[in-house]
Amino acid sequence: MNDAVPQAADTEPDTGAPQDGPAGPAPLGVPRTPTGNAEVDAHVERLADADHLTTDGHLEVYEDVHRGLRDALTALDTRPGPPPAQGHRS
């Protein structure tokens, strides 16, 4: 007598259908509107890299974008502006 226990492969045919489980990364479809500043736009476009990563890879992209945007804003503060207005002396 054959007392073998049927294995999953013996009882369920392989249909080629995806298995139940977590889905892979998928783009969120969030639009990124250009700002007109090439440096800022490049950093914002970098966010698209997160679309192809699992969530544990998002942090690196977000930190990189944050750092780049912060540096771009800091550079705006350090650029020379118009000279301060001179008061009239009598």
Side-chain angles (χ1 to χ4, degrees), residues 34-54:
T35 65
N37 180 305
E39 183 179 6
V40 170
D41 290 343
H43 292 299
V44 172
E45 277 302 313
R46 169 96 165 89
L47 291 171
D49 293 347
D51 286 347
H52 308 289
L53 300 172
T54 57

Side-chain angles (χ1 to χ4, degrees), residues 1 3 10 16 38 47 67 88:
M1 222 158 115
D3 293 326
D10 296 335
L47 291 171
R67 185 174 28 262
H88 294 298

Side-chain angles (χ1 to χ4, degrees), residues 12-32:
E12 297 178 20
D14 184 8
T15 61
Q19 301 295 319
D20 288 338
L28 294 175
V30 176
R32 289 173 292 279

Side-chain angles (χ1 to χ4, degrees), residues 75-86:
L76 291 174
D77 289 339
T78 60
R79 290 184 186 150
Q86 297 294 324

